[in-house]
Amino acid sequence: MTFTREIDHGTPPAIAGGKSVSVTIDGQTVSMPEGTSIMRAASLLGGAIPKLCATDNVESFGSCRLCLVEVEGRNGYPASCTTPVAEGMVVRTQTERLKKLHRGVMELYISDHPLDCLTCAANGDCELQDQAGAVGLRDVRYGYDGATNMGQAKDVSNPYFDFDPSKCIVCSRCVRACEEVQGTFALTIQGSGFGSKVAASQNDDFLSSECVSCGACVQACPTASLIEKKVVEIGKPERAVVTTCAYCGVGCTFRAEMRGEEVVRMVPWKEGKANRGHSCVKGRFAWGYAQHQDRILNPMIRVSVDQPWREVSWEEAIAHTAAEFQRIQASYGARSVGGITSSRCTNEETFLVQKLIRQGFGNNNVDTCARVCHSPTGYGLKTTFGTSAGTQDFDSVQFSDVILVIGANPTDGHPVFASRMKKRLRECARLIVIDPRRTDLVKSAHIQADHHLPLRPGTNVAMLTAIAHVIVTEGLCDEAFIRERCDWDEYQDWAEFVSQRERSPEAIEALTGVAPEDVRAAARLFATGGNGAIYYGLGVTEHSQGSSTVMAIANLAMATGNIGREGVGVNPLRGQNNVQGACDMGSFPHEFSGYRHVSDAATRQLFERAWGVALDSEPGLRIPNMLDAATDGTFKALFVQGEDILQSDPNTHHVAAGLAAMECVVVQDLFLNETANYAHVFLPGSTFLEKDGTFTNAERRIQRVRKVMEPLNGYGDWEIVQLVANAMGLDWNYAHPSQIMDEISALTPTFAGVNYEALEAQGSLQWPVDASAPEGTPTMHLDGFARGRGKFVVTDYVPTDEKTGPRFPLLLTTGRILSHYNVGAQTRRTGNVAWHPEDLLEVHPSDAENRGIKDGDWVLLRSRAGETTLRAKVTERVAPGVVYTTFHHPTTQANVITTDFSDWATNCPEYKVTAVQVGLSNGPSDWQEHYEAQAKQSRRIETVVAAE
Amino acid sequence: MMSNQEQLVYMVNQIARNFATMGQDEAAAATADHLVSFWDPRMKTQILAQYASDRSGLSPIAADAIAHLRDHLIPSGQTPATVFNAVNEAGHSDAG
């Protein structure tokens, strides 16, 4: 396959919905949407007006003066990038005068540019080179003496790309990409005229600047000035394969540009509907973990966890796994074993793990990481709307007038979506942020929240009820919508409840710490500001009332009529690349795929007919219940695919005790993670680069994952599960993941129209995909809710039992940072360690001063559950009384601190509210020292000396 | 740190508290329905045993709910607290 770049039409498309005009370009007459630039029109016709400063993901700029054209009846030579087509316009792109002008412009550019094309990293992929050729440049009459911008020092500070100012043509594409696409505004053009140059922040190097390393500037750069280090090292790619990122729930699609089986770079795919040609540092650059030295490629087993690992063949490992699970079930009963599916593996792989458990183990003891993040979303939205997923697609935000973000920090957690949200905010949308912390969204470049409600952790339901109080008592509900679409009686019960004086902003001020006038203003804005959209994250769900908070959000959306069209909706920002998919595939212990309860006879019979066995009708164990049952002695074996519960689940001591009590723990993963410290079998897994399949993102969008290299471990993850299943006598015969998807489609009504041919044709599909929606469903609940009528649920505020007091006077909440992903298993093994090499504890200056803590000091963080040590960062981003940390490094042991309290409906852990005390420390805690020694011991791999 | 049995009592009390605004009878029914739908057989057996031996730690709603559980142990597909959509293989969307 010949490598080709995606076509760059020079300027963005015109805003949809306008009329068409007829324009003639070089003798060809065509109809174009009004507002289209001449440059774009010519490109769509197959022509290519020379250009340097124009690129189609940023607005036109008109600075390079290369794209000049002649327009009949107009004086001069307008720039085609800044000139829109008009009815009857006649354009010529190539005339004798234009040729001279084009060459003259190029001559000036080349007069101050290195002529090292043959050894330049951009050789063969350089727009300056291309345009010099296109305009027929043959000599530079000015010579190369005199002042020059060549010979400047390179900035190689960034781990992933270099900046060579000598090759910069000051087209400003990078600056505009940073502004318009990413929204960080880290780059400027410093100086003027001949002295103009690109500068990062206050003329800092890229690594020290505000640059977030999204790579939009690198992608925009037409020369080798900004270029990926991998391109410099490897050379030009020769082929490209479109695939989907394996980090977060945005689900960016990329062109994996390859040379042989080596990835040269990941370039965001312009046709990707989730990311629209943009990416973050993780998806674009942090894929090197696939070849990291820590990666385990051979299966290993051991009799007990205090022994070193022994490498074995796949046959031995699989046979041992099957034999152990069968032995344990024979000894302890059918329900003594279970498994955890991965939210990072594909839909097909997740489906197979839950099938292994249901068909093979004969129980419903299957769960997934959504347990600890968005399980309340599943419960809450299923109850109120009838669907366990968000209602919109990401494009919807461009039609929002008021955006309410609660318990989410998208600039760090969902950066590509945050960029799109910020673009809309810069246009005109208003912003309400409900978060204990002053996140970047509250105030950053050209963004300022109209209202920031910095509520005390644990008071979400009280706050949302207070907002509802204002909306109902001030007559701001959309009664017509409610009467038509919701249960009126339930609405009245709810309205009466929220109207009570004790639900008012004034009554809850002491509880939340937020001034009532701010709450009232925010409520009025949301109810009356136009299209209101709510985006939320784990700051909503990871609470003892997580499900109640989700339902309170749904109540607000229904009460204000903000459901069932673009620009509105309830939007859970799903974390992992395929956590939505894992839930869709039946990873919960009470549901088959498509969220159908295991007790539902009709559904169960469907699966029984397909799988040829009787299936358990009783709900199985959730992850925390598995651990409880393990310490009780009734749960003895666990199959864990792509999940690290020892690092990511709360109350580490309890998780460790549960794992230690089991007789067989199987971990299928890329690395020896923390859970593997307690494992008896390690099955090396494969990365997203090494398999075919699908991921489903936070928009319910099913997208293809395509193999770009053979799996270094020998098998795709789905093949490994099939080997285990067959060793247990199940007789599976999948030859390709597309066959697994065909089975999913046959058994899951919301996936009825999903198959690989349809995905190839459409690019992606948002479920439900069925006879009534063969091309998928971007916006849910258009004419009615999935459950019929929307259900208002009374959500009474029940305070958490995790109380502060004299011993533990502060509240700890947790979150993420841009450069790392969750437990850091992937990102810690990439260049991203350049940013955030350790987790830090954010402490307010007043709390720090009271404790004698300075920035950078080691501090001991203690809760009722345990203690750990990390460095402090003194900052006003947290309120007094609140401390905050991330959990990307296992050495931090953040979950030693978190408690067993959890959401009442789903047992989603209450990570966001832990009562703690902070004090100076002189070193790691006893647990950290013990843990590190134990982990090192556990990771030993037996070395077998070859016989003479 | 709670024992597993204490944890189960805590959980059922917590569920009951969150349904309390429905009133005693409806809240008990909703709590029972929740246990039927989401608790595995081991947990149900253990809470029933707790109810039989010592119900002093159970809230009134929780206690009533476990009595319901004891009396109506066979789960049904459709429940009042967590209503599931009708599903049929003819393709009716179960969206969620």
Short mmCIF file of all heavy atoms in Angstrom, two decimals, chain A residues 131-160:
data_model
loop_
_atom_site.label_atom_id
_atom_site.label_comp_id
_atom_site.label_asym_id
_atom_site.label_seq_id
_atom_site.Cartn_x
_atom_site.Cartn_y
_atom_site.Cartn_z
N GLN A 131 5.81 22.67 -2.06
CA GLN A 131 5.36 23.91 -2.68
C GLN A 131 6.45 24.51 -3.57
O GLN A 131 6.17 25.09 -4.60
CB GLN A 131 4.92 24.94 -1.63
CG GLN A 131 3.74 24.50 -0.79
CD GLN A 131 2.56 24.01 -1.62
OE1 GLN A 131 2.24 24.56 -2.67
NE2 GLN A 131 1.92 22.94 -1.16
N ALA A 132 7.70 24.36 -3.18
CA ALA A 132 8.79 24.81 -4.04
C ALA A 132 8.73 24.08 -5.37
O ALA A 132 8.90 24.68 -6.45
CB ALA A 132 10.14 24.58 -3.36
N GLY A 133 8.43 22.80 -5.30
CA GLY A 133 8.28 22.03 -6.53
C GLY A 133 7.04 22.43 -7.30
O GLY A 133 7.06 22.56 -8.52
N ALA A 134 5.95 22.67 -6.57
CA ALA A 134 4.67 22.98 -7.23
C ALA A 134 4.74 24.28 -8.01
O ALA A 134 4.12 24.41 -9.07
CB ALA A 134 3.56 23.05 -6.18
N VAL A 135 5.47 25.27 -7.48
CA VAL A 135 5.49 26.58 -8.16
C VAL A 135 6.64 26.67 -9.15
O VAL A 135 6.82 27.69 -9.80
CB VAL A 135 5.56 27.74 -7.14
CG1 VAL A 135 4.43 27.63 -6.13
CG2 VAL A 135 6.91 27.82 -6.46
N GLY A 136 7.42 25.62 -9.26
CA GLY A 136 8.50 25.61 -10.25
C GLY A 136 9.68 26.48 -9.87
O GLY A 136 10.34 27.07 -10.72
N LEU A 137 9.99 26.55 -8.55
CA LEU A 137 11.14 27.35 -8.12
C LEU A 137 12.44 26.71 -8.59
O LEU A 137 12.66 25.52 -8.35
CB LEU A 137 11.12 27.47 -6.60
CG LEU A 137 12.22 28.37 -6.03
CD1 LEU A 137 11.94 29.82 -6.38
CD2 LEU A 137 12.33 28.20 -4.52
N ARG A 138 13.31 27.47 -9.23
CA ARG A 138 14.56 26.91 -9.73
C ARG A 138 15.78 27.59 -9.16
O ARG A 138 16.86 26.99 -9.12
CB ARG A 138 14.61 27.02 -11.27
CG ARG A 138 13.54 26.19 -11.97
CD ARG A 138 13.76 24.69 -11.79
NE ARG A 138 12.58 23.95 -12.23
CZ ARG A 138 11.70 23.40 -11.42
NH1 ARG A 138 11.84 23.50 -10.11
NH2 ARG A 138 10.66 22.73 -11.90
N ASP A 139 15.68 28.84 -8.77
CA ASP A 139 16.84 29.47 -8.14
C ASP A 139 16.36 30.56 -7.19
O ASP A 139 15.22 30.97 -7.21
CB ASP A 139 17.80 30.05 -9.18
CG ASP A 139 17.15 31.17 -9.99
OD1 ASP A 139 15.92 31.35 -9.91
OD2 ASP A 139 17.87 31.87 -10.73
N VAL A 140 17.31 30.92 -6.28
CA VAL A 140 17.03 31.96 -5.31
C VAL A 140 17.99 33.10 -5.59
O VAL A 140 19.20 33.00 -5.33
CB VAL A 140 17.22 31.42 -3.87
CG1 VAL A 140 17.04 32.53 -2.86
CG2 VAL A 140 16.24 30.28 -3.60
N ARG A 141 17.48 34.18 -6.12
CA ARG A 141 18.34 35.26 -6.60
C ARG A 141 18.98 36.03 -5.47
O ARG A 141 19.98 36.71 -5.67
CB ARG A 141 17.54 36.21 -7.48
CG ARG A 141 17.09 35.57 -8.79
CD ARG A 141 16.00 36.39 -9.44
NE ARG A 141 14.80 36.39 -8.61
CZ ARG A 141 13.77 37.21 -8.82
NH1 ARG A 141 13.79 38.09 -9.79
NH2 ARG A 141 12.71 37.16 -8.03
N TYR A 142 18.46 35.92 -4.25
CA TYR A 142 18.94 36.76 -3.16
C TYR A 142 20.24 36.26 -2.55
O TYR A 142 20.91 36.97 -1.81
CB TYR A 142 17.88 36.87 -2.06
CG TYR A 142 16.55 37.33 -2.58
CD1 TYR A 142 15.46 36.47 -2.64
CD2 TYR A 142 16.38 38.64 -3.05
CE1 TYR A 142 14.23 36.89 -3.13
CE2 TYR A 142 15.16 39.05 -3.54
CZ TYR A 142 14.10 38.18 -3.59
OH TYR A 142 12.91 38.60 -4.09
N GLY A 143 20.61 35.05 -2.82
CA GLY A 143 21.79 34.49 -2.17
C GLY A 143 21.51 34.20 -0.72
O GLY A 143 20.38 34.35 -0.23
N TYR A 144 22.56 33.79 0.01
CA TYR A 144 22.38 33.36 1.40
C TYR A 144 23.25 34.17 2.36
O TYR A 144 23.42 33.81 3.51
CB TYR A 144 22.66 31.86 1.53
CG TYR A 144 21.73 31.05 0.66
CD1 TYR A 144 22.14 30.60 -0.59
CD2 TYR A 144 20.42 30.81 1.05
CE1 TYR A 144 21.26 29.92 -1.42
CE2 TYR A 144 19.54 30.11 0.23
CZ TYR A 144 19.97 29.67 -1.01
OH TYR A 144 19.11 29.00 -1.82
N ASP A 145 23.83 35.28 1.87
CA ASP A 145 24.61 36.13 2.77
C ASP A 145 23.67 37.05 3.54
O ASP A 145 22.51 37.18 3.22
CB ASP A 145 25.62 36.97 1.96
CG ASP A 145 26.63 36.08 1.25
OD1 ASP A 145 26.96 35.02 1.80
OD2 ASP A 145 27.05 36.43 0.12
N GLY A 146 24.20 37.70 4.53
CA GLY A 146 23.39 38.67 5.29
C GLY A 146 22.68 38.02 6.46
O GLY A 146 22.93 36.87 6.82
N ALA A 147 21.77 38.76 7.04
CA ALA A 147 21.05 38.29 8.24
C ALA A 147 20.29 37.02 7.91
O ALA A 147 19.77 36.84 6.80
CB ALA A 147 20.08 39.36 8.72
N THR A 148 20.24 36.13 8.88
CA THR A 148 19.58 34.84 8.67
C THR A 148 19.00 34.35 9.99
O THR A 148 19.49 34.70 11.06
CB THR A 148 20.56 33.81 8.10
OG1 THR A 148 19.89 32.54 8.04
CG2 THR A 148 21.78 33.66 8.98
N ASN A 149 17.97 33.55 9.88
CA ASN A 149 17.40 32.89 11.06
C ASN A 149 17.89 31.46 11.20
O ASN A 149 17.39 30.71 12.03
CB ASN A 149 15.87 32.91 10.98
CG ASN A 149 15.31 34.28 11.28
OD1 ASN A 149 15.61 34.89 12.30
ND2 ASN A 149 14.50 34.82 10.37
N MET A 150 18.84 31.08 10.36
CA MET A 150 19.35 29.72 10.45
C MET A 150 20.37 29.61 11.57
O MET A 150 20.83 30.63 12.11
CB MET A 150 19.97 29.32 9.12
CG MET A 150 18.93 29.14 8.02
SD MET A 150 19.60 28.42 6.54
CE MET A 150 19.90 29.88 5.56
N GLY A 151 20.73 28.40 11.95
CA GLY A 151 21.77 28.19 12.95
C GLY A 151 21.28 28.38 14.38
O GLY A 151 22.08 28.45 15.30
N GLN A 152 19.99 28.44 14.61
CA GLN A 152 19.48 28.60 15.98
C GLN A 152 19.49 27.23 16.68
O GLN A 152 19.39 26.19 16.04
CB GLN A 152 18.05 29.14 15.96
CG GLN A 152 17.95 30.54 15.36
CD GLN A 152 16.54 31.06 15.43
OE1 GLN A 152 16.00 31.28 16.52
NE2 GLN A 152 15.91 31.25 14.29
N ALA A 153 19.58 27.29 18.00
CA ALA A 153 19.64 26.04 18.77
C ALA A 153 18.28 25.35 18.75
O ALA A 153 17.25 26.00 18.79
CB ALA A 153 20.03 26.35 20.21
N LYS A 154 18.34 24.03 18.69
CA LYS A 154 17.10 23.24 18.74
C LYS A 154 16.63 23.12 20.18
O LYS A 154 17.44 23.06 21.11
CB LYS A 154 17.36 21.83 18.22
CG LYS A 154 17.48 21.69 16.74
CD LYS A 154 17.51 20.18 16.39
CE LYS A 154 18.04 19.99 15.00
NZ LYS A 154 18.15 18.59 14.66
N ASP A 155 15.35 23.01 20.35
CA ASP A 155 14.75 22.69 21.66
C ASP A 155 14.37 21.22 21.61
O ASP A 155 13.44 20.84 20.90
CB ASP A 155 13.53 23.58 21.90
CG ASP A 155 12.77 23.23 23.17
OD1 ASP A 155 13.12 22.26 23.86
OD2 ASP A 155 11.80 23.95 23.48
N VAL A 156 15.13 20.39 22.34
CA VAL A 156 14.84 18.96 22.35
C VAL A 156 14.29 18.53 23.71
O VAL A 156 14.32 17.35 24.05
CB VAL A 156 16.10 18.14 21.98
CG1 VAL A 156 16.58 18.50 20.58
CG2 VAL A 156 17.22 18.37 23.00
N SER A 157 13.78 19.50 24.48
CA SER A 157 13.36 19.20 25.85
C SER A 157 12.19 18.23 25.91
O SER A 157 12.10 17.41 26.82
CB SER A 157 12.99 20.50 26.57
OG SER A 157 11.91 21.15 25.91
N ASN A 158 11.28 18.34 24.95
CA ASN A 158 10.09 17.47 25.01
C ASN A 158 10.49 16.03 24.70
O ASN A 158 11.29 15.79 23.81
CB ASN A 158 9.05 17.97 24.00
CG ASN A 158 7.73 17.24 24.14
OD1 ASN A 158 7.60 16.07 23.75
ND2 ASN A 158 6.74 17.91 24.69
N PRO A 159 9.95 15.05 25.45
CA PRO A 159 10.36 13.67 25.19
C PRO A 159 9.91 13.13 23.84
O PRO A 159 10.42 12.11 23.39
CB PRO A 159 9.69 12.87 26.32
CG PRO A 159 8.66 13.76 26.90
CD PRO A 159 9.05 15.16 26.61
N TYR A 160 9.01 13.81 23.17
CA TYR A 160 8.43 13.22 21.96
C TYR A 160 8.69 14.01 20.68
O TYR A 160 8.59 13.46 19.60
CB TYR A 160 6.92 13.08 22.13
CG TYR A 160 6.54 12.14 23.24
CD1 TYR A 160 5.81 12.58 24.33
CD2 TYR A 160 6.93 10.80 23.21
CE1 TYR A 160 5.45 11.72 25.35
CE2 TYR A 160 6.58 9.92 24.22
CZ TYR A 160 5.85 10.39 25.29
OH TYR A 160 5.50 9.53 26.30
#
